[in-house]
Amino acid sequence: MFSNISLKTKIILSVWAVLLITILLPWIYFVNIIKTEINKESISNIKKEFVLVKYILHNSNINKNNIDDVIKDIGEKLGDRITYILKDGKVIADSKVKKDRLSKLDNHATRPEIIMARRTGHGSSVRYSGTIHRKLIYYAEPVKFNNLDPGYLRIARYYSLVDSVLNNINIQIVYVLFFSFLISGAIISYFIILIMKRIKPIIDLSEALSNGQEVKLITKSPAKEFDKLVTSLNKMAIQITNNLNLISNQKKELQAILDAIDAPVVVVDQYGKIIKSNKTFKTYFTSDTSEKDLPSLIINSKLIEGLENALKNGEYIRGIPVTLKRRHYSVNIIPISYKKEITAILVFHDITEQKKLDKTRRDFFANVSHELKTPLTSIQGYAETILDDLYLDKEQIKIFLNKILKNCEEMRELINGIMEISKIETGEIKTKIELIDLKLILNDVWISLKQIAEKKNIKFKNIDKPFKIKYDREKLYTILKNLIHNSIKFSHTNGEISVKIKEQKDFYQIGIEDRGVGIPFEEQDRVFERFYQTKDAIKSKAPGYGLGLSICRNIVHYFGGQIWIESPIEKGDKGCIVWFTIPKEIEEKNRGRAKNETL
């Protein structure tokens, strides 16, 4: 605790301690001497008074009955307490105690002054009286009067005079101490301020060195005794500044190298505490890495185990799989030993896209294999039937060949859809932007799907008037045909499909609305994935391969638009609107803007 106190305070406290000792010890000594002398003087005065009282009592006709009255009369005139005590300690007279209370007083045979008087012929003491509740000086001697049993005559005087004198002395000493402390403190503070002012350049230089700040060399020594110190500090400052500049440049170079690495990189000490990281790491994990432990920041048992092995055994760890915030990493840990300390560099290789690509590839082959298996099996079955039975009539063979042709068309449709998505995603799509009438495109789409719609008696409500937009005619036709075809498939019998248009500041918002079963909220994002079919579609065995909406999404994104589902429709529990946007000015910078989102 004392180590935290400033030098100025320590010096002041030390001087005050010396002052306290040099004043307090003599004070205690002299106060005791004064107290003793005053007590002696008081007792001497009481002795003189004792002789006078003794003389008066000898010349008075006193006896057991009037002794108390006589003593009260003498005590009242002298102003002191006079007591007559028999040898057995019984009080028979006291100038300060009423006569009826004398019998109730304690036995006084054990009082200090009585014991001393019994032994030496006279006795004195200074003590507190329990009878009158005051501090008194007592003096007593054994006496023998005519007509009265022998005993002790005692005179007591109030000690307040002695207390008053001692209190005055104490007050004076306190004043001396207070002003001594005040003056000495002020003088010491003044000299310390002068000293600190002179050595401030030394302090500033030391603080600048410790904080790694720019230093200012000392140009003038505070005193001759500081010359060597100033010279040494200036040399050390120059050397440390050069070293700090070198280290600072090396740190900047290292940080620049780390920041240039796209993968998250972090350096930890032997306790797992982060000591350095690059911008990518801060972007993906936390912006503030100071004083943080990596195991508490990234909770992963395999990573923690690998880090412990690297730090403990100096083992180079490769390919630790870590999943954080829906991203996948392969982590390499490189231990670095320096003297007896060991640190580790962790490099997080982001393999999210690779995993997505692997999953997409697996899903693609699985889905394509599944979707091709059914028509191929059907074709094989019909072909084998024709070959096995060469005597089938022409009508039967025609039916089987039509079935084979239909399955071939389905396979062609599936392959064309996959190729269309592939072209868009790889940027191989060919486009021709022109001014087209949305109403005419919608009309052409409905004509191509009218035969399917009539089977469910579904009506189509086109827009009221021509609506001119800039877009690729073929691609817009594909979008609208897929959306309207989906609406027909999932609309109820006698339903209606309509078109909605909203004009915004920078784009047109077009929606295809139906009052069918709708799409559950949890499936609204997934319906744009390739080969994904809703639970209702699977349950109702609706025809299709789950590629239509994926194609729509890729085309819309390619031209810089967005596509989403609104279901159920406002003020209802069913129905669906598929919205997509078309920028008012389709330029080269818009096309392919969302390409990465479609991969």
Side-chain angles (χ1 to χ4, degrees), residues 369-387 399-411 545:
S369 299
H370 174 75
E371 297 298 341
L372 288 176
K373 184 178 180 181
T374 301
L376 281 173
T377 302
S378 179
I379 291 170
Q380 183 181 3
Y382 288 121
E384 288 175 351
T385 302
I386 294 171
L387 289 173
I399 292 172
F400 287 168
L401 289 175
N402 283 329
K403 294 284 187 181
I404 292 172
L405 183 61
K406 181 183 177 184
N407 282 285
C408 288
E409 285 294 327
E410 290 179 0
M411 290 173 61
Y545 298 106

Side-chain angles (χ1 to χ4, degrees), residues 555-563 581-583 590 594:
I555 295 173
V556 170
H557 284 183
Y558 182 83
F559 287 101
Q562 297 293 328
I563 186 168
T581 61
I582 295 177
N590 284 330

Side-chain angles (χ1 to χ4, degrees), residues 38-54:
I38 291 175
N39 287 343
K40 286 181 180 179
E41 181 66 23
S42 298
I43 292 172
S44 176
N45 292 334
I46 292 174
K47 282 183 179 180
K48 292 177 182 179
E49 188 175 294
F50 185 90
V51 173
L52 177 62
V53 172
K54 186 177 178 182

Side-chain angles (χ1 to χ4, degrees), residues 123-230:
S124 62
S125 68
V126 178
R127 60 183 178 80
Y128 182 80
S129 171
T131 304
I132 63 174
H133 307 293
R134 296 281 294 275
K135 192 174 181 181
L136 303 171
I137 300 177
Y138 293 93
Y139 180 79
E141 288 184 8
V143 293
K144 177 69 176 70
F145 297 110
N146 295 329
N147 303 322
L148 197 63
D149 293 337
Y152 301 93
L153 181 64
R154 185 183 71 178
I155 297 178
R157 180 169 294 171
Y158 293 125
Y159 197 72
S160 58
L161 176 61
V162 178
D163 280 339
S164 176
V165 173
L166 293 177
N167 286 337
N168 286 333
I169 294 173
N170 290 336
I171 290 171
Q172 295 302 319
I173 293 295
V174 169
Y175 280 138
V176 170
L177 273 175
F178 174 76
F179 286 109
S180 298
F181 284 173
L182 194 64
I183 294 169
S184 62
I187 293 172
I188 293 168
S189 297
Y190 174 73
F191 280 107
I192 288 176
I193 290 171
L194 290 179
I195 294 170
M196 294 301 292
K197 188 175 181 180
R198 291 194 172 190
I199 65 172
K200 189 177 184 300
I202 297 176
I203 296 172
D204 292 342
L205 177 60
S206 302
E207 287 181 348
L209 289 173
S210 65
N211 296 327
Q213 299 172 345
E214 185 179 351
V215 297
K216 183 179 180 181
L217 298 180
I218 303 170
T219 56
K220 184 178 180 182
S221 175
K224 186 177 180 181
E225 292 80 4
F226 290 91
D227 287 348
K228 289 185 178 180
L229 175 62
V230 168

Side-chain angles (χ1 to χ4, degrees), residues 436-439 441-442 445 467 469-483 510 552 555-556 559 580 582:
I436 54 179
D437 187 350
L438 178 62
K439 183 176 181 180
I441 297 289
L442 285 166
V445 169
F467 193 84
I469 56 173
K470 282 184 178 181
Y471 214 71
D472 183 282
R473 181 184 299 273
E474 181 184 343
K475 299 303 178 289
L476 182 58
Y477 180 89
T478 301
I479 294 170
L480 294 171
K481 184 175 181 179
N482 278 313
L483 297 183
I510 302 170
C552 292
I555 295 173
V556 170
F559 287 101
F580 68 97
I582 295 177

